[in-house]
Each structure stands twice: as structure tokens, then as C-alpha cells.
Amino acid sequence: MTTATAAPQTPAPTPRTPAPFRMLSEVGIVVWRHLVQIRHNPEQLLELAVQPVLFVFLFGIVLAGQMGGADGSYLAFVVPGLMIQATVLVTARTMTGLHADVHTGLMQRLHTLPISRFAPLSGRIVADFLMLLWSLLILLVTSIAIGYRADITLLTAVEALGVIFVFYFALAWVAAFGALTVRSPESVQALGLATMLPLTILSGAFVDTATVPAWLQPVMIWNPVSLAVDSVRGLIAGTDIAESLLRLTVICAVLLAVFISLATRAFTRER
Amino acid sequence: MTPAAIEANALTRRFGSTTAVEDLDLSVPAGSVVGLLGPNGSGKTTTVRMLATLIAPTSGTARVLGLDVRTQAERIRHAIGLTGQFTAIDPNLTGRENLLFIARLLGQRRGDARRRALDLLDRFSLTAAADKPARTYSGGMRRRLDLAASLLGEPAVLFLDEPTTGLDPIAREQLWDIIRTRIARGCTVLLTTQYLEEADRLAGNIIIIDHGRKVAEGAPAQLKRLAGDPTLTLRARDTADTQRLHGVLHAIAGAPPAALDAPEGREASASVPAERVAAVIRAVDDAGIALESISLREPDLDDVFRQLTTKEAGR
């Protein structure tokens, strides 16, 4: 046990490990924390699995006939939509979890530690993305079980996951800003619902945007959810996705630029 | 003179149009404990947040271990620990995991982190609960775990922001013991509290703030002197002696004593300088008055506080 000395010691200015590696290891430690949380509360995995099963059942079996796709064509259409919907829903986790950290004071403690300011949120984003992968796995297994087939290469699968990650990363910063500015956990939930429901409903996740009234079309086409769905759908179908991918990239870049600076400012502001 | 571990000059923080802390000067000598005492909303927490590099001052300067809180925050964070008003622990992790998490973020190797966590759990009487989720802990246990977490890095400066708010008297006593041991180890501590007793018990020097401004500063004994002399209360055995008892007290204290237990009137009390108490008793004895009880109450910090803040309100 070392003893602290009475004279004020100026703390060592030089850290042992170079900054990027330190940041990586800090993020790793935060991810470890979130995985331990899951180990203690495994029912969270169940919750993340039930949702996709229900939605695949609803859209792939219950509604498929009505949608004119009893032959499985609607299932093929809607699976990428459900994947992006799952992505949007996972951001709710990111938001409530971050809000709890701020609320309990844990975030304040983390900010008094000599670690990167971005490590706590980055760790949470990585951990929640792992949860999203679990949710997507269940979604795909369920879809395949009821007849979904996709003829894609491993590279395409990785590309699709890349699109999903970029989209999730942008949404996570929006969620972070929401979590930092909203006071009560109830308001976090209300805010989450109020933004996520319209985002997914008014998108091309479940319907072809060409079938809606003309005045609604611009909203649906420019909705980032539609752009992410179009990109993933196009990747799986092997069609040209240059345009939707470009639009998605632009929107994600704008969201990141705006919300990283807003969230960083909210971090340092008194609540 | 001992060098200051924490030093603030004209420290000011505004939030929009409200001023939370105004022109605060503060100096905490290395290895000492200073108590920042004030009611809710007086600016204590804002002061700690500025010194712990969580928020930047609007104006003024502050140095911790000689480092500027604005420009050298990163280096300050290597040497401080903070226990805030809210227990900063993850309720879903066990006590042990909570400590491991913070220790690892502090850059400690896995083995060292484990050993330190084990040692702190033991010192804070948390070994039995080490592997239970922190959400199942009592309020006192949470505070102890929180304090343990802030000590993981062996900080040279420790900020304790209302460390015992909301705790029952036994848990508070336990936490005070722990804080005292810590102080004995030579750590510099800035403690904020609304409990005058807490500041009195732990701090060598006390700064009283109200509405973001310093209203008084000094050692507990000095501050108590501000509140005046101790109160001596005498109670005669016979009602017949009451008049004479009042007379004796009046003669020595120089002011008519207050009768406390009217209408019976056997009790009289007056403010008497400590060194004259013996003279009063002697005079009472000489007068042949039989006493039933004698009590002497030192002014406590509550008296000081009430006096200072009423003065403030009357301005």
C-alpha cells in the first residue's frame, strides 16, 4: 500500500501508452462493463430477440397476403426494412442507458478520470452494436425459417453491416444528445417513441415509396431510414445503390457534424 | 507555510443570468481538510465541479496541485478523486466489478486492479457484499462503495460533495470514520456539507458560503466564537431562591437573565464568558442558593450559521 504524501505532487504528465491505444483500451473496458451488465441481466437478450421474431411473423406471415406477397416476395422486400427498424430500436437502448449514467452520476465520475471524453459513449455504442448484431441474427434466422432466401456473398453481407453500423453510429449521437438534454427517464422514453415511430412508419421500410400519395413522397424518400433501407435492400438484391448510399452518407455526415458538437457541448454544461 | 493543494482566486461561475459562484477565494493547504459549508443552492457543488475539472469557470482562476483547471485539466484528473452528491456507481454491476471498472479505466493492470479492489472492499466493510449487484446495497453501502471508487487511484486531492446526505446516523458515523482515516493518510480534502456537525467533526478550517459568496472563514472554534459566549443555565431547588438566583446572574453577566421555565420560574440562563462560569457558581454558592441543575451549552455552528445568514437576508 502506498502512502499519499502531504506535499502537493504535480502529477506525472506523460502517460505510458500512446493516446490511440489508450483510447482503444478504454473503449474495451467500457464494452466489458456493458457485457457484464448483460451477463447479470440476460433477459435483455430475450427482449432483443422477441422483437424481431414478432415483426418477422407480423410482416412475413400475417400481413404478407394482404400486401400481395403471399409467394414470399413481400418477405424478401421487408426483411431489409426490419433490419433497419431493429437498428432504430436499438438506439432507444443507447439513449436510456446513457441517460441513466448521467442521472446516477456515473458519467460525472468518468469525466473526472484521466480518460478520453469519447471513451464512455464509444464503448456504449460498440456494446449496443453487438446487441444489434444479436437482434439481427435472430431476425435472419426467423426469416430463413419461414422461407426467406438471399443469394449474397460474404462481402455483400459485410458491406450491408457496414451501412447499418454507419447509420446506427449517426443515430447514436442524436440519441446521446437527446439523453443529455432530457431530464426524466419517462421523457427519454417519450422522446424516443415520438421520433422513432414516425421515422420508421414514414419510410420505405415496409412499403414501396412509389405507392404513397405524391405530397408524402419527398418526406419518405429523404427519410434517412428509407435511405438506409434502400441501400441494404439494393446490396442484397444486387441493384445499383450509388444514389441512396450517397444521400445516406450526406445525411449521416450532417447528423454527425451537428449532433457530435451539440452532445459534446451538452456534456460540459451544468444540468 | 504549507503550499496550497487547492487555490482559487475570484472564482466565478454563471449559468445564463444566475450567478452560482461569485468572486470566491479559497485556499486548501496540502494535507488539510477544508469544509465548504452552506445551504442548498449556495454554490458548493458548482465550486467542486469547477475544481474537479467538470465545468469551466466563467472567470477567475483555480489551481489544483499547482495545475490550472482550465488548461491542465487532463493532468489534474490523474491526481483527484470525487465523491459526488449522487452515488456514481453502476447499479447493475457488483461492488467488486464497479471497482474493477474504475481501476482499469485509471490504467491499472488487471492484477493490480483486482488487489486494490479487494483491499478497498475489505477496508470499507463490503467484502461480504462484494459479489452482489450494487443495486441491492443499502444507502450507506452505496456511499462506501462510491468513496472506495474515488480512492482507487490513491488521489492526492479528494473532493467530497455532501458525502453523507441522506444517510442514517450510524452510516454517517461509519463514513466519517473512513474519511478521518483517509485524512490521517495525508490526503488533501475539500468537503462540502450542509451539516454543521459534519464540518465541525472533519474539517480543520471552514468556509461558509451563501448565494455563491463567502460569508465567513475560520477554524470551527473561531467561527463558534463569532456566535458569542456559551449559555449558562442554572436551576434553583427552591422557588423561594429564584429572585436571588436571577440577581446573582444579573450581577455577573451584566444583563438580566432570561427566565426559562415560567411561570414556576426556578430557572435562569444567561450568556457568560467561559472564564467567568466558575465565578458565577461560586457567587451562587456564597449566596447559599441550592441548585438543582447546571448546564452550559457551547454555541454550535448552527448558531454561527443562523447569525451570518440572517445578517445576509437583512441586507
Side-chain angles (χ1 to χ4, degrees):
Chain A
M1 187 102 303
T2 54
T3 348
T5 44
Q9 289 172 315
T10 303
T14 44
R16 293 177 306 276
T17 332
F21 292 111
R22 238 176 345 126
M23 161 99 175
L24 270 184
S25 108
E26 286 158 13
V27 171
I29 294 162
V30 178
V31 173
W32 169 83
R33 169 201 166 203
H34 290 294
L35 295 185
V36 170
Q37 280 182 335
I38 299 282
R39 205 181 67 207
H40 289 314
N41 306 288
E43 66 278 2
Q44 293 184 24
L45 288 179
L46 191 68
E47 187 198 324
L48 283 163
V50 167
Q51 242 166 30
V53 170
L54 279 179
F55 278 114
V56 168
F57 194 79
L58 174 66
F59 286 98
I61 295 175
V62 179
L63 294 177
Q66 181 72 38
M67 300 300 231
D71 55 352
S73 60
Y74 182 65
L75 182 63
F77 175 83
V78 88
V79 162
L82 292 177
M83 288 164 77
I84 297 302
Q85 185 199 36
T87 310
V88 173
L89 291 179
V90 153
T91 56
R93 237 184 104 78
T94 314
M95 184 145 98
T96 48
L98 188 62
H99 185 268
D101 278 0
V102 173
H103 198 69
T104 57
L106 187 65
M107 195 52 83
Q108 174 168 303
R109 150 135 320 134
L110 297 181
H111 279 179
T112 63
L113 298 178
I115 59 170
S116 159
R117 296 247 136 167
F118 293 102
L121 185 59
S122 307
R124 178 176 288 284
I125 286 176
V126 172
D128 282 348
F129 188 69
L130 291 177
M131 292 305 109
L132 174 59
L133 288 183
W134 159 254
S135 198
L136 292 178
L137 177 74
I138 300 293
L139 197 161
L140 284 176
V141 168
T142 317
S143 307
I144 290 166
I146 65 164
Y148 176 71
R149 295 294 177 269
D151 186 20
I152 55 165
T153 62
L154 184 64
L155 179 68
T156 314
V158 171
E159 282 169 350
L161 280 181
V163 170
I164 290 174
F165 180 75
V166 169
F167 180 58
Y168 166 67
F169 189 69
L171 288 188
W173 278 98
V174 181
F177 176 65
L180 291 171
T181 42
V182 167
R183 274 168 196 274
S184 71
E186 291 78 19
S187 323
V188 173
Q189 250 167 7
L191 180 71
L193 275 181
T195 49
M196 286 184 307
L197 276 182
L199 263 180
T200 46
I201 290 173
L202 298 180
S203 79
F206 314 117
V207 295
D208 183 348
T209 48
T211 64
V212 302
W215 58 267
L216 192 55
Q217 276 187 17
V219 178
M220 287 185 68
I221 289 168
W222 281 96
N223 179 344
V225 171
S226 305
L227 297 172
V229 171
D230 287 347
S231 304
V232 172
R233 197 175 274 151
L235 271 171
I236 293 172
T239 55
D240 180 28
I241 57 158
E243 199 186 333
S244 53
L245 199 57
L246 178 70
R247 285 178 180 179
L248 180 68
T249 312
V250 169
I251 285 194
C252 286
V254 170
L255 286 178
L256 284 172
V258 171
F259 284 94
I260 286 182
S261 76
L262 282 179
T264 313
R265 204 169 306 163
F267 257 127
T268 51
R269 199 179 48 205
E270 176 85 324
R271 281 174 297 129
Chain B
M1 210 192 112
T2 4
I6 305 172
E7 181 110 61
N9 290 308
L11 198 61
T12 301
R13 172 72 201 209
R14 274 185 267 280
F15 295 110
S17 58
T18 50
T19 304
V21 175
E22 196 171 0
D23 259 342
L24 187 70
D25 291 335
L26 179 129
S27 176
V28 182
S32 76
V33 182
V34 167
L36 201 57
L37 187 65
N40 269 331
S42 55
K44 303 185 299 286
T45 298
T46 306
T47 305
V48 166
R49 286 170 61 86
M50 283 191 276
L51 296 172
T53 76
L54 288 169
I55 51 171
T58 308
S59 65
T61 57
R63 289 182 168 272
V64 175
L65 299 168
L67 300 166
D68 189 286
V69 293
R70 263 198 218 108
T71 56
Q72 294 167 301
E74 170 74 26
R75 283 174 65 192
I76 292 176
R77 289 186 198 124
H78 281 277
I80 59 169
L82 167 68
T83 287
Q85 271 179 63
F86 307 100
T87 43
I89 51 178
D90 184 338
N92 292 312
L93 300 189
T94 67
R96 188 196 307 273
E97 286 160 353
N98 263 293
L99 294 186
L100 278 178
F101 174 52
I102 301 297
R104 296 281 286 130
L105 283 179
L106 280 164
Q108 297 174 11
R109 281 170 214 292
R110 210 170 270 123
D112 296 339
R114 262 198 212 111
R115 263 191 301 280
R116 279 212 51 57
L118 211 64
D119 173 57
L120 281 164
L121 286 167
D122 181 48
R123 273 203 283 151
F124 286 28
S125 324
L126 289 169
T127 312
D131 295 313
K132 295 198 181 90
R135 91 178 91 82
T136 65
Y137 284 19
S138 70
M141 288 161 78
R142 277 171 203 238
R143 291 298 177 108
R144 297 208 301 273
L145 181 63
D146 190 46
L147 193 55
S150 64
L151 294 177
L152 278 164
E154 285 283 337
V157 173
L158 187 59
F159 295 101
L160 300 176
D161 190 15
E162 305 201 6
T164 65
T165 299
L167 289 188
D168 60 69
I170 296 170
R172 178 172 301 163
E173 201 68 53
Q174 271 181 331
L175 210 67
W176 283 348
D177 271 345
I178 286 167
I179 293 169
R180 266 194 296 258
T181 346
R182 189 67 216 164
I183 294 161
R185 292 164 63 89
C187 186
T188 305
V189 179
L190 181 67
L191 166 91
T192 81
T193 181
Q194 341 180 10
Y195 302 119
L196 306 143
E197 190 195 354
E198 185 163 271
D200 193 13
R201 294 274 292 271
L202 297 175
N205 201 38
I206 295 174
I207 295 169
I208 301 182
I209 65 170
D210 196 31
H211 297 104
R213 287 178 154 276
K214 191 197 285 185
V215 290
E217 179 172 8
Q222 271 176 306
L223 290 180
K224 282 182 197 165
R225 232 168 283 140
L226 280 180
D229 296 319
T231 306
L232 178 67
T233 304
L234 302 174
R235 190 182 171 92
R237 192 178 292 152
D238 298 319
T239 323
D241 286 334
T242 312
Q243 277 296 348
R244 289 196 297 139
L245 181 63
H246 277 236
V248 171
L249 252 181
H250 190 164
I252 297 182
L260 293 176
D261 59 344
E264 209 189 335
R266 282 193 289 143
E267 206 167 271
S269 67
S271 194
V272 178
E275 63 273 16
R276 308 220 47 193
V277 170
V280 174
I281 306 292
R282 219 176 296 124
V284 168
D285 195 39
D286 289 347
I289 303 169
L291 290 177
E292 187 180 274
S293 70
I294 302 171
S295 79
L296 186 66
R297 192 180 68 85
E298 284 284 337
D300 58 16
L301 286 167
D302 279 296
D303 297 325
V304 183
F305 198 66
R306 218 170 292 125
Q307 209 174 7
L308 289 168
T309 45
T310 18
K311 224 184 281 165
E312 190 79 358
R315 250 192 353 194

